Each structure stands twice: as C-alpha cells, then as structure tokens.
Amino acid sequence: MASILDEYEDSLYRSASVQQSRASVGIPHSGYVNARLEKETPIFNKQRIDFAPPEKINSLVVSSNQLCMSLGKDTLLRIDLGKPDEPNQVELGRKDEAKVYKMFLDHTGSHLLIALNTGECLYLNRSVQKVRALSRWKGHLIESVGWNKFLGSETNTGPVLVGTAQGQIYEAEISVSEGSLFSTNPDQYFRQVYTLEEESGPAPVCCLEIERGIEGKFFIIATTRKRLFQFVGKVPEGTEQQGFSSIFAMHADHLPSFREFPANFGFSEIAFYTPKLRSNPRSFAWMMGNGVLYGTLDYSRPDSILSDERVWVYPSDIDITVNKPISIVLTQFHFLLLLPDRVKAVCTLNGQVVFQDLFLEKFGLLTRMIKDPTVQQIWIHTEKVVFRYHVQRESRDVWKMYMNMNKFDLAKEYCKDRPECLDIVLAKEAEHCFQNKRYLDSAKCYALTQNYFEEIALKFIEAKQEEALMEFLIKKLSNLKPSEKTQTTLLTTWLTELYLNWLGILEGDPSQRNLYLDIREKFRTFLSSPKNKDCLFNNRASIYELLASHGDTEHMVYFAVIMQDYERVVAHHCQHDEYDEALNVLSRHRDEKLFYKFSPVLIQHIPKKVVDAWISMGSRLDARNLIPALVNYSQSASTQQINEAIRYMEFCVYQLEETQQAIHNYLLSLYALCRPDSLLSYLEQAGTNPNRIHYDLKYALRLCAEHGHHHACVHIYKVMELYEEAVDLALQVDVDLAKSCADLPEDDEELRKKLWLKIARHVVQEEKDVKKAMACLSSCALLKIEDVLPFFPDFVTIDHFKEAICNSLEDYNKHIEELKREMEEATQSAKRIREDIQEMRNKYGSVEPQEKCAACDFPLLNRPFYLFLCGHMFHYDCLLQAVFPNLPAYKQAKLEDLQKKLAATSQPSKSHHRPKDADTISLGKGQQSREQIKADIDDIVAAECVYCGELMIRSIDKPFIDPQKYEEEMQSWL
C-alpha cells in the first residue's frame, strides 16, 4: 500500500515544486489566486449627496424612493429619487414659533405625518401640495407611528397606531377623498387603545411596529426606553378595517409580555430587516441602554415572535453617558449605529465591529440615520449635509464568521461561488471532524479540498482508519477530471487493493457476515461504476493480477463479466469442468469468436447442447470455422455422437442454405462414413448441374470410390458428363442403371449409340441373354440389328433375329419413301419462288404529277425518287440523308465507296475517240458497270421504307436532338 501511495505522490503531485515557486510570488499552494488587482470596495460605500440646503435640515425621512426633508421653520422638500432633478417644495404655512419635531413616512411613500413640538400634527399626501392639520391629534406629542402595511393605500392609511410622549397608544385612520380633496377632515378617528408604563409610570412610546403572522394572527411590537412589549391576538375575519382595539382589549386586565433592561439613555429605537419587498421582516435589532438586543422573528410561535435573542453590548469606545448612539439601522448581517461623529457597523453573527466611518467636523454633528426598506439604501444627515450608503455584497465575509462558529453548512452556502473560500471552509470542516473522530465525514470534506493528497492519506493511515481512507479515495476519484488518467489509474488500483484486503479479513469471520456482504456490494458497485469503466478496462491486466494474488476467483469472474472479457469467464468455467456454465455464458453473449475458440473443448463433453447452441446462433456462426472442432470430435467419437455433427451440417445446408464447398464436402464425408443411405439422396437433391453443385465433384468421387458406394459414383460420373465411365461402372451394378446413363447425352447421337453398344455387348457377351439384347434394340432407336450382330457368337441361329431383321428392312423402305416425298416438295417450292420473282419484276406503281416527297414536301418529279409498296415516296437525296446516319459503320463505308465509284463512271472521257466496246472491255477487267453500282446503292438505301421499316423501330429510343449538338440547339432558341 505504501508503494502505491509513493507512486501516486510522484505522479499526481509532481507539480509540488511548481506550487512552491508559485507560493514564493504570492500564489498559495491550494491553487487559487487571491491577489486583488484593485482595492476591494467596502461593504458600506458612502456617497455624499450633491445638495446644498438653503436652510438647516431639521428632519429627513425616506421610503419607496420618496425622500422628504424639513428645512428651516416652514419649508418641506419632497424628492422622487427616480427623478431627482424635479424636487417639490411645500410651505407649511405656520406663523407661530412651532418647529418640526419628527416626521413619519409610510412604506409606500404616500402618507407623510409631521409632528410639531407644540403638540400639533400635520398631514401631507404625495398627490397634493397643501398640508392639512389633524385636529383630533392636537395636544399630543407624537413619538412613533405603526403603519398598516396590509390595508393601506395611496389615499387611505387604514388603521394605524400612534405612540405619544405621554405613553398613550392611539388608533387612527387618515383618508383623502378623491372628489373634493380637503372638503372634510382627513383624520377619520383618533382613539386611545392602551397606555405603556414602566415602574415609574407612563413612559414615551418610542417605536411601534405591526406585523401579521399565520392564520390571521397579528403581532404588535411597542417599545419604551427600557421595555419591549408584544401584543398578540387575532382580528376577526372581515373586521380588519375596524382596527386593533380587540387586541389591546385582551390585555386590559394584565400586562402583555415584555422584555426589560435596567439601563436607558432616555429613548430607544428598533430596526427591522426585510429581505424582500412587501414580505415580513426576518430579524430585528433594538437599541437600548444595555446594548443592542438582536434576534430573529418566528411567526409560527404562539405568544412571541422574538426568537434566538442575544444582547450585543456596545463597543468599548462608546460611552452612553457621553456619546450615546442616536439611531440604528439593521441589514442582513450587520446593524449600524449612528454616533454624533461616526457610524459603526457591527456584525450580528459575532458582535465585532467590521466597519467604522468617521465624519469631518465641518459637516456638523450627525442628526439622524434611516433606511429605505425597498431599495436597501441608508441615509444619514446633519443640519447641512446628506449622505447615502450603498450596501454592496454584504455577505462576502460571512462565510468566515460561520466557519469560525463551526457552522460549516452556512459557511459553504455563503461562499459557494468563491472556490478559494469554499476550499478553506472544507479544510476547516474536515479538520474539525477529524479532531472529533468523525473520520468518514472528515474524509468526504478532505476529498473536496485542494490540500496535498499525500498528507491527508498518511493522516488516515496513521490513525488506522482504512474505511475513512477508502471514502477519501472514492470521493477524490469521483472529482478527478477525465484527462487525469494516471491519477485515476493509481487511485483505482489502490482502492481495489483496499477492498480486497478488507474482504479477505471479513470473509473468515462468520460474525461479520453482514458487513462482509455490504462491503462486497460496495466493491462490486465500484467495479461496475460507469465512471471507472474506462480506467478499469485499460488496466484490467493489473486488476486481474490483484484479484489472482488474493485468490478471489469469484470477483475475478465478476470483473471479467463487467469488462465483457467473456473469454476469461468461459476459460475459468472450462478449467473447473463447469461446461454447462461455460456454454451458458457463450449462449448469453453470443460472441462468434468465443464459440470458435471453445467449441472444440465443449463438444467433447456436451455435444448435443453445443450443437443446439450452434443452431440457435443461426447464420451468425461461420460453419467453416467449426469444422475443425467437429473433425477432432468425430475422429474420437462413436457413430451415435457423429450424428450430432451431421445434424449441425444438415442444419447449415438445408436451413441456412450454405453454399460453402468445405461444408458440403464435410457433410458428404460424414454421409459416406456413417450414412450411405443419405449419401445418394443428398447427391440427387444437389442436382446434376455442375454450376449449382456446392461440393467438390472430384473429392466426392474419390470419397465414394474409397467406401465402395458405386451408385453414388455413377451419379457423380453423370454430373461430370463422363458418360462412358458412368455406363462402365453402372454395368457392374445394374443394367437398368446403365441404360439410364446411356440416354443422357441427348445432343450427341454418336456417343449415345456407343454407350448403347457397350450395354448390348455386356448383355450379349457377359450375360449371354439374346432376348435381353434384342430388348436393347427396342430401347434405343439408334441401334440396328446390323450393329449388334457382330457381338453374337457364330453358333447362334437366325431364328433369334428374324423379326429384328424384318423390322429393320421395313424401316429402310419407309425412310426411302420419305426422302422421295421431300424431294418432290422441294421441286414444287423452287418453282413457286421463280414465279414470284418474275411477278415482282413486272410490278409497277403510278405517281401523280402533284405528288410530293414525304421528307422535304417538295414536288417529287423534280429529282430522282423512290416509291415504296407502303405508298411513301422520297427523293433520292432525301432518303439518303435520312438513312445514312442510322446505317452500321461498315454499310456507311460501303455506301461512300459506291458513291465514289458512281461519280467516277459519270466523268466524261478525255479522249474523243473512245472505242465502242469500252464498257465491254472494262467489264472484262472485273470492274462493275454503272447500272450494277446503282443497284448496289439501291439495295442499301432503299432496302426498306424509312418510315415503315425496322429503321424507324430501332430509332424510337434515340433523342430528337443529338446530345453533342444539344447546347448549340438550345442557344439557337434563346
């Protein structure tokens, strides 16, 4: 095992020196590059708003991208952040010394409440320009407002809760009519529903929040300086518009549940984090005297939605007696504290300060910090400057905090898109599991890291945790790339060795039987895994050696089946005399090559089953390759066993219709050896046409002769058309057989006569049977009595031949009479032919003056012409032009030669004193006369009508346009 590990180290991590060199320039050994090309932007990115207020800013609120700020004494500025260049300014219209105390903006940005320090309250709707006083609210200094996020609209707030500085909680509703906007008071009602108290009496209601849980249950959170109250109850279905009086009425006789802390700095503030728009808050942070109470909100709890609470004390540099926090804002993983001159961000996971931003004195003291829950932007202002914070990738370092808290699942969740961080988390989790002796979990994590392989493997080896080591190797193997073939090979081999060692230990322990079966199943799954198939196949020789070294024949066979190495499987069964199993493997996988290889062995032991298997393979097997197995088997087997070989050969010949000569020859040899009766029927079924016979005739003749099968030899002689040899051999067996052979050469009467003479001589000389000899004369018409007489001895009397001689003379007379009749018929036929010729010479036709040539349609009588019996008439030159292209080449040449000769005879002689008998002299010299030349031309040109004769029929498949002139013809038509 150690040698395998050393080999794996050398091959798999040969790049260690490269990694060390990379580490010297800042690249970690894990393979991930952490160098940052530019400084990473902070989580909370501050931006100063380019805005110079004409007066000091008293208060600022923002929600749903709607920002409202109070400037000076009497001015209100509204800005739609989607259109920042179009601010809207509204005058409050106050003539007294009243100042804006606080402003409250609902979640839609539509309803704005302005609380004055004189105990008055004003209302401004987003769609109007005029501020309205809420008369019913007069006399109450408003500290907080709990907006109704479930029933409110742009023109109606729905039932809302209002907290005052005197500790009272009022329920109110503000509505703006669409027809006449301010014709009626906007405040529909204003009634007290509860009073919050501390141990000293009523206390200011610092914060109010309304949330709805499951099954219509409402949760109302109200805070004072030291206490956090919860009011829980259901509002009857259909009465939500009537408000929350019923919930507070439930707590009229007893205090609601609350959390109290001893210290306070005169006020408190609660912040919520809502992950998505219009969904319920998921966590809260309450800023009070003892620190920040942080927790999550669980809406499934019956009496309190606060869950997982913890108190994070203020950082050590915050002294609540000197620089107490002013505001708090909560994000997903941080809460921000606003101090007079700085902002601190504290992580909610560990309470550590992760961000601090100090403001310059020139900006003045920080006044207020708020968050727009819809866009997750944080706003801070002084009396003359406004800042905005963008939260960017807040969860970037959360993984590290979860990892340090050993919450590895959460840590991996927040770094799944950052592989370098995920590797650190996995390594830390693996080490944590190893230290806690959770070795299998540790192995799974280590396999996913980039840590050095050899260090981890040795770690498990030293701890003697082979199961964990195997788990590590399996996971590591599954993570390798297809290109890492060397590493895959070594891991596969090592795992095979480990599995075999483990199985060997467990196999001999009966008490570990269940574990043995489980490990065996895992090992087989490993061997049959598609991912490992290529590697195992390429290195199957090494795996076979490992299996053989452990003596595990069971898994050797299993592995061979997986690798489709059926040759090894069959060989294994044959070595152990398991011939039926071997044949089953062959039959199941139907590999032709394996059949050829193992059939010689199997047929010696289970011949019938082997032949059945061959037959089931049908045409997939080439019977020629099985003949050696059958030959070896038939030489050492009995006649009954040879019948199996014959059965397969007959299947090939009659069912598969094999035509291979070797197959037919072997079947022929088996017939000749064991089944003489089947031999002749096979030969007769094969036929007598040598071109359709598939066995070797010479081999068959020699084979039949060796075994004395004369009938078969006669048949083969007949097929070979060696009729004399066939008759000679047949005469040794049966005269009738010889007679049938003698009639076979039908086209050669001389040979037939010769063969019958052989038969007659044999009958006369060998059998000395005169009557039988005379029967031969009647069987063959070619034989005459005079042909047979020489074969008879001299002492034979003529009485035996009297009838035959008379019959012969009568045949001669008949033949003479028939010849006379034929001569007379021939004479009459010649006479009729001469008469027909004379009649044709005198035959004529009439031509009218208006007749036209059938080819050129010009008057016929203008030039020499031809008249055919069919009625068609052609000029000589028109007929020549139509006939010439369709004549054979030799006739074209002859016609051209005749035309030249005719032209030569038409030229006048240079001598004016030509002898009168010049033509006679030329004829005497062997030259043709002019008339003879014309007759020869007529025989070629006017042999038949060009429209009615064979010429027209032969030209029916010719194209109208010559293919060679097609392009030229086509261009002429364009």
Side-chain angles (χ1 to χ4, degrees):
M1 187 183 301
S3 63
I4 295 175
L5 177 59
D6 294 339
E7 187 179 357
Y8 189 82
E9 292 177 21
D10 294 339
S11 61
L12 181 59
Y13 291 105
R14 197 172 289 132
S15 60
S17 59
V18 178
Q19 292 180 345
Q20 290 174 0
S21 63
R22 293 169 68 186
S24 64
V25 295
I27 300 178
H29 76 275
S30 64
Y32 294 111
V33 179
N34 287 330
R36 294 179 174 86
L37 299 179
E38 58 184 18
K39 187 177 180 182
E40 191 177 45
T41 58
I43 295 175
F44 303 100
N45 188 20
K46 183 175 68 175
Q47 174 190 6
R48 180 181 175 182
I49 304 301
D50 186 14
F51 172 70
E55 300 180 75
K56 70 176 183 177
I57 303 174
N58 298 322
S59 181
L60 183 146
V61 289
V62 61
S63 181
S64 295
N65 253 357
Q66 301 296 319
L67 184 144
C68 301
M69 65 173 70
S70 171
L71 302 177
K73 175 183 175 183
D74 199 46
T75 303
L76 187 67
L77 187 64
R78 297 188 295 185
I79 301 175
D80 184 348
L81 297 177
K83 304 174 183 177
D85 298 332
E86 301 177 7
N88 177 252
Q89 184 172 321
V90 179
E91 300 297 331
L92 298 182
R94 304 292 298 185
K95 303 300 182 183
D96 53 12
E97 297 299 325
K99 297 181 180 179
V100 175
Y101 176 63
K102 284 185 178 181
M103 294 197 304
F104 309 94
L105 186 62
D106 78 322
H107 61 286
T108 65
S110 301
H111 307 284
L112 177 65
L113 292 175
I114 306 164
L116 305 179
N117 58 357
T118 58
E120 296 179 80
C121 190
L122 306 178
Y123 170 77
L124 179 64
N125 190 280
R126 183 170 65 180
S127 60
V128 300
Q129 286 289 105
K130 187 175 181 181
V131 177
R132 290 289 295 169
L134 303 177
S135 58
R136 292 188 175 89
W137 296 40
K138 190 172 183 180
H140 301 283
L141 185 61
I142 307 301
E143 288 285 351
S144 59
V145 175
W147 296 103
N148 193 327
K149 294 178 285 188
F150 315 104
L151 294 177
S153 65
E154 293 185 359
T155 59
N156 188 285
T157 62
V160 298
L161 297 178
V162 180
T164 66
Q166 293 76 31
Q168 293 93 4
I169 297 178
Y170 288 87
E171 186 180 74
E173 183 177 1
I174 302 174
S175 178
V176 179
S177 59
E178 297 181 0
S180 53
L181 195 56
F182 291 106
S183 59
T184 59
N185 291 332
D187 48 339
Q188 301 297 310
Y189 61 88
F190 190 77
R191 55 174 177 263
Q192 182 177 350
V193 294
Y194 203 81
T195 300
L196 296 184
E197 295 184 353
E198 295 178 352
E199 68 276 3
S200 59
V205 183
C206 299
C207 298
L208 282 170
E209 180 73 15
I210 304 172
E211 295 298 337
R212 183 168 61 184
I214 59 177
E215 298 179 354
K217 186 181 292 186
F218 281 86
F219 297 88
I220 298 173
I221 298 176
T223 65
T224 62
R225 293 164 299 187
K226 300 188 335 181
R227 292 183 177 180
L228 187 150
F229 294 88
Q230 291 186 78
F231 298 88
V232 183
K234 287 187 177 181
V235 176
E237 186 176 356
T239 63
E240 292 87 349
Q241 198 66 38
Q242 298 179 11
F244 307 101
S245 302
S246 59
I247 296 177
F248 289 99
M250 295 168 59
H251 301 279
D253 299 331
H254 61 277
L255 288 176
S257 62
F258 64 89
R259 295 292 306 274
E260 183 175 11
F261 294 88
N264 77 86
F265 41 63
F267 66 93
S268 70
E269 185 173 347
I270 191 169
F272 295 89
Y273 168 69
T274 304
K276 294 181 180 179
L277 182 64
R278 295 187 182 277
S279 65
N280 292 329
R282 193 173 67 183
S283 56
F284 73 97
W286 180 38
M287 182 185 71
M288 40 77 182
N290 291 82
V292 176
L293 176 65
Y294 173 79
T296 59
L297 300 177
D298 185 356
Y299 296 93
S300 62
R301 301 180 65 182
D303 299 325
S304 173
I305 62 173
L306 307 183
S307 178
D308 299 331
E309 301 172 50
R310 72 188 77 173
V311 176
W312 294 116
V313 297
Y314 295 117
S316 57
D317 59 344
I318 296 180
D319 184 359
I320 63 174
T321 61
V322 179
N323 57 342
K324 56 188 177 184
I326 302 171
S327 293
I328 185 171
V329 163
L330 181 62
T331 62
Q332 185 177 5
F333 296 106
H334 302 86
F335 59 81
L336 281 70
L337 296 174
L338 180 68
L339 301 171
D341 61 344
R342 71 193 65 192
V343 173
K344 286 181 178 289
V346 179
C347 180
T348 58
L349 300 177
N350 57 15
Q352 300 296 319
V353 177
V354 298
F355 172 78
Q356 178 172 285
D357 194 3
L358 186 65
F359 288 78
L360 300 177
E361 293 183 1
K362 66 178 182 179
F363 298 137
L365 298 177
L366 301 179
T367 305
R368 179 77 172 163
M369 176 174 61
I370 55 174
K371 185 181 76 168
D372 186 347
T374 58
V375 294
Q376 303 296 325
Q377 292 179 350
I378 301 170
W379 296 79
I380 297 175
H381 73 92
T382 66
E383 290 185 347
K384 51 186 176 181
V385 182
V386 178
F387 297 93
R388 177 171 57 190
Y389 281 95
H390 293 274
V391 183
Q392 298 179 336
R393 295 178 58 237
E394 185 182 2
S395 61
R396 68 182 69 169
D397 295 324
V398 170
W399 65 271
K400 191 181 301 181
M401 300 172 191
Y402 279 129
M403 180 185 69
N404 294 331
M405 298 164 62
N406 293 335
K407 295 183 177 181
F408 300 109
D409 290 339
L410 290 173
K412 287 183 283 189
E413 180 67 24
Y414 285 101
C415 63
K416 58 186 177 182
D417 56 344
R418 300 171 65 185
E420 71 281 3
C421 302
L422 181 61
D423 185 69
I424 297 172
V425 174
L426 288 170
K428 182 70 178 294
E429 182 181 8
E431 185 64 28
H432 175 77
C433 293
F434 193 92
Q435 295 298 332
N436 288 276
K437 298 184 178 181
R438 293 163 49 201
Y439 297 110
L440 288 177
D441 293 336
S442 177
K444 294 176 183 178
C445 293
Y446 269 131
L448 299 175
T449 67
Q450 297 294 320
N451 290 17
Y452 286 123
F453 170 84
E454 62 273 20
E455 293 179 0
I456 302 169
L458 289 172
K459 195 170 187 177
F460 286 115
I461 293 173
E462 292 172 356
K464 298 181 179 180
Q465 295 295 323
E466 287 195 2
E467 184 179 2
L469 175 61
M470 291 174 64
E471 184 67 29
F472 169 68
L473 296 178
I474 291 171
K475 293 294 183 184
K476 202 70 180 178
L477 178 63
S478 65
N479 292 332
L480 289 178
K481 299 176 182 178
S483 59
E484 298 173 313
K485 295 182 179 179
T486 303
Q487 295 89 327
T488 303
T489 300
L490 293 173
L491 281 179
T492 303
T493 308
W494 192 3
L495 278 168
T496 303
E497 175 73 18
L498 290 174
Y499 270 120
L500 291 174
N501 284 337
W502 201 357
L503 289 172
I505 295 171
L506 295 175
E507 188 175 12
D509 189 353
S511 62
Q512 300 288 334
R513 181 62 179 172
N514 291 334
L515 180 59
Y516 169 79
L517 295 176
D518 183 53
I519 300 304
R520 186 182 70 173
E521 186 61 30
K522 289 183 179 179
F523 181 42
R524 292 185 174 184
T525 303
F526 167 74
L527 292 177
S528 59
S529 171
K531 184 176 178 62
N532 305 331
K533 183 177 181 180
D534 291 340
C535 176
L536 290 170
F537 181 81
N538 294 331
N539 301 278
R540 58 189 182 280
S542 301
I543 302 299
Y544 283 132
E545 291 178 4
L546 280 175
L547 292 167
S549 66
H550 285 267
D552 194 343
T553 56
E554 178 186 0
H555 283 105
M556 182 181 291
V557 174
Y558 180 82
F559 179 69
V561 172
I562 293 175
M563 292 293 103
Q564 298 183 355
D565 190 359
Y566 303 117
E567 180 178 351
R568 187 180 294 268
V569 177
V570 176
H572 169 81
H573 289 309
C574 291
Q575 290 172 2
H576 292 80
D577 297 336
E578 299 171 351
Y579 302 110
D580 288 333
E581 290 295 328
L583 185 59
N584 289 337
V585 174
L586 290 175
S587 301
R588 187 163 55 250
H589 299 289
R590 306 173 75 82
D591 189 331
E592 299 88 349
K593 294 181 180 179
L594 296 183
F595 267 102
Y596 301 147
K597 182 172 183 178
F598 291 101
S599 288
V601 177
L602 295 175
I603 200 169
Q604 298 292 335
H605 301 88
I606 48 174
K608 186 178 186 306
K609 293 182 179 179
V610 171
V611 171
D612 290 339
W614 290 350
I615 292 175
S616 68
M617 287 288 290
S619 60
R620 293 184 60 178
L621 289 179
D622 187 349
R624 291 178 301 172
N625 296 327
L626 297 173
I627 289 177
L630 292 171
V631 170
N632 294 334
Y633 171 66
S634 61
Q635 289 177 350
S636 60
S638 64
T639 303
Q640 184 178 0
Q641 292 172 323
I642 292 177
N643 288 335
E644 294 298 331
I646 294 177
R647 182 162 68 94
Y648 181 65
M649 288 292 102
E650 287 179 339
F651 169 77
C652 294
V653 171
Y654 298 124
Q655 300 296 323
L656 300 183
E657 299 180 355
E658 286 284 355
T659 59
Q660 296 295 331
Q661 190 178 76
I663 297 173
H664 286 263
N665 286 347
Y666 183 59
L667 178 60
L668 197 66
S669 68
L670 293 175
Y671 280 150
L673 181 65
C674 298
R675 290 189 185 177
D677 296 338
S678 300
L679 176 62
L680 187 58
S681 62
Y682 165 77
L683 293 175
E684 291 174 348
Q685 188 173 354
T688 58
N689 186 346
N691 296 324
R692 294 185 179 182
I693 289 177
H694 305 302
Y695 57 86
D696 187 342
L697 289 169
K698 294 180 180 179
Y699 170 77
L701 182 62
R702 185 180 73 251
L703 193 67
C704 294
E706 289 177 357
H707 291 84
H709 302 309
H710 297 304
H711 278 83
C713 290
V714 170
H715 178 83
I716 296 171
Y717 277 135
K718 290 192 294 184
V719 174
M720 297 173 70
E721 297 182 355
L722 300 175
Y723 301 115
E724 292 189 45
E725 290 82 353
V727 170
D728 291 340
L729 184 60
L731 289 174
Q732 299 177 19
V733 179
D734 184 9
V735 174
D736 292 334
L737 179 61
K739 290 180 179 180
S740 65
C741 295
D743 284 331
L744 290 177
E746 297 177 354
D747 299 331
D748 192 344
E749 292 186 353
E750 183 179 354
L751 178 59
R752 284 173 58 200
K753 184 175 182 181
K754 183 178 180 181
L755 296 177
W756 277 102
L757 286 174
K758 281 178 176 287
I759 297 172
R761 176 182 295 175
H762 173 81
V763 171
V764 173
Q765 295 180 352
E766 299 296 332
E767 297 185 4
K768 302 183 185 299
D769 189 343
V770 176
K771 292 183 178 180
K772 205 170 186 179
M774 293 299 100
C776 290
L777 293 177
S778 61
S779 298
C780 179
L782 299 177
L783 290 181
K784 305 298 180 182
I785 186 63
E786 59 269 27
D787 299 325
V788 180
L789 285 176
F791 301 145
F792 289 95
D794 296 337
F795 58 85
V796 178
T797 61
I798 197 171
D799 295 338
H800 293 90
F801 312 112
K802 181 179 180 180
E803 183 179 354
I805 292 173
C806 292
N807 291 336
S808 178
L809 293 174
E810 289 179 2
D811 289 340
Y812 279 126
N813 289 329
K814 290 179 181 179
H815 184 62
I816 292 171
E817 292 297 329
E818 186 176 349
L819 289 176
K820 288 181 179 180
R821 186 173 61 254
E822 289 179 357
M823 292 175 61
E824 292 177 359
E825 290 177 355
T827 303
Q828 294 296 329
S829 178
K831 182 179 179 181
R832 285 196 297 272
I833 291 172
R834 284 193 296 271
E835 291 175 354
D836 290 342
I837 292 172
Q838 185 63 36
E839 184 180 355
M840 288 298 296
R841 286 177 178 174
N842 298 327
K843 196 170 185 177
Y844 65 93
S846 61
V847 178
E848 300 295 331
Q850 66 272 17
E851 293 289 349
K852 295 183 179 180
C853 174
C856 65
D857 205 31
F858 282 97
L860 186 67
L861 300 177
N862 289 349
R863 301 199 298 274
F865 65 90
Y866 289 99
L867 171 64
F868 292 94
L869 294 177
C870 61
H872 289 115
M873 294 169 279
F874 300 92
H875 288 130
Y876 165 75
D877 54 344
C878 293
L879 182 62
L880 180 64
Q881 185 178 2
V883 171
F884 186 82
N886 298 287
L887 292 175
Y890 75 92
K891 284 193 176 182
Q892 290 181 353
K894 184 177 180 181
L895 182 61
E896 290 177 350
D897 183 55
L898 291 172
Q899 287 178 329
K900 290 179 182 179
K901 289 180 179 179
L902 182 64
T905 60
S906 300
Q907 294 177 355
S909 176
K910 295 182 179 179
S911 175
H912 297 282
H913 302 281
R914 183 178 179 185
K916 293 182 180 179
D917 56 348
D919 290 341
T920 306
I921 296 173
S922 63
L923 290 172
K925 293 180 179 179
Q927 295 182 351
Q928 292 178 311
S929 66
R930 180 179 177 83
E931 294 300 326
Q932 183 63 39
I933 294 173
K934 285 184 177 181
D936 292 341
I937 292 176
D938 290 344
D939 291 342
I940 296 175
V941 175
E944 60 181 358
C945 175
V946 72
Y947 285 172
C948 303
E950 293 184 1
L951 181 63
M952 180 58 68
I953 297 174
R954 289 197 302 270
S955 65
I956 195 169
D957 59 343
K958 292 184 179 180
F960 290 108
I961 301 175
D962 188 350
Q964 297 179 354
K965 299 180 180 180
Y966 182 80
E967 292 294 332
E968 180 182 352
E969 185 70 20
M970 185 177 68
Q971 293 296 330
S972 67
W973 281 79
L974 297 178

